[in-house]
């Protein structure tokens, strides 16, 4: 399966900010939509945010709405997730994913075809 590459994870204090990035150049022109998921130990993978590549329309999980911002750089074939006001509950491995859904920002894992290796985000003092 084709993989994406995420980077930018690390340790951050509660209330802090962190930006994750995803290199989607391996998909050439890219998929119709891109997204971020996260998975904490012992928990299932959960949707975080997604964005339509062409229109820029976005969708967010309620848990991150108002705190996280997903964006894409068309020229650089990059997708970013700016995380602010981080909480300990945000601690997880974050995954970048690509989808061929073109009608609405997707939110189900089954709607995504390609996944990155994951990058660890730890929110702790």
């Amino acid at each position: 399966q084709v993989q994406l590459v995420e980077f930018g994870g690390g340790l951050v204090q509660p209330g802090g900010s962190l930006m994750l990035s995803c290199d989607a150049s391996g998909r050439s022109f890219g998929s119709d939509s891109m997204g971020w998921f996260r998975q904490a130990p012992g928990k299932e993978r959960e949707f975080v945010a997604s964005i339509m590549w062409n229109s820029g329309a976005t969708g967010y999980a309620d848990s991150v709405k108002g705190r996280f911002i997903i964006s894409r750089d068309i020229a650089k074939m990059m997708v970013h997730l700016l995380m602010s006001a981080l909480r300990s509950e945000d601690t997880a491995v974050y995954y970048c994913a690509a989808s061929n859904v073109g009608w609405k920002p997707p939110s189900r894992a089954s709607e995504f075809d390609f996944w990155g290796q994951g990058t660890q985000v730890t929110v702790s003092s």
Side-chain angles (χ1 to χ4, degrees), residues 45-92:
R45 189 168 299 187
E46 68 172 337
F47 168 74
V48 176
S50 63
I51 186 168
M52 307 306 295
W53 191 256
N54 290 331
S55 72
T58 59
Y60 295 92
D62 289 340
S63 60
V64 307
K65 195 171 298 182
R67 298 189 299 123
F68 291 10
I69 298 176
I70 186 172
S71 63
R72 91 290 200 209
D73 185 323
I74 296 176
K76 295 182 178 180
M77 293 292 290
M78 298 284 290
V79 182
H80 305 286
L81 183 68
L82 176 59
M83 306 181 293
S84 300
L86 284 164
R87 309 162 180 167
S88 60
E89 63 199 61
D90 294 317
T91 295

Side-chain angles (χ1 to χ4, degrees), residues 33 50 52 101-107:
S33 54
S50 63
M52 307 306 295
V101 172
W103 55 276
K104 187 182 74 173
S107 61

Side-chain angles (χ1 to χ4, degrees), residues 7 18 39 43 47 63 67 96 101 116:
F7 53 93
L18 194 66
Q39 187 167 24
K43 300 180 181 179
F47 168 74
S63 60
R67 298 189 299 123
C96 177
V101 172

Side-chain angles (χ1 to χ4, degrees), residues 95-113:
Y95 298 89
C96 177
S99 173
N100 63 1
V101 172
W103 55 276
K104 187 182 74 173
S107 61
R108 292 182 176 275
S110 61
E111 295 178 302
F112 291 80
D113 306 302

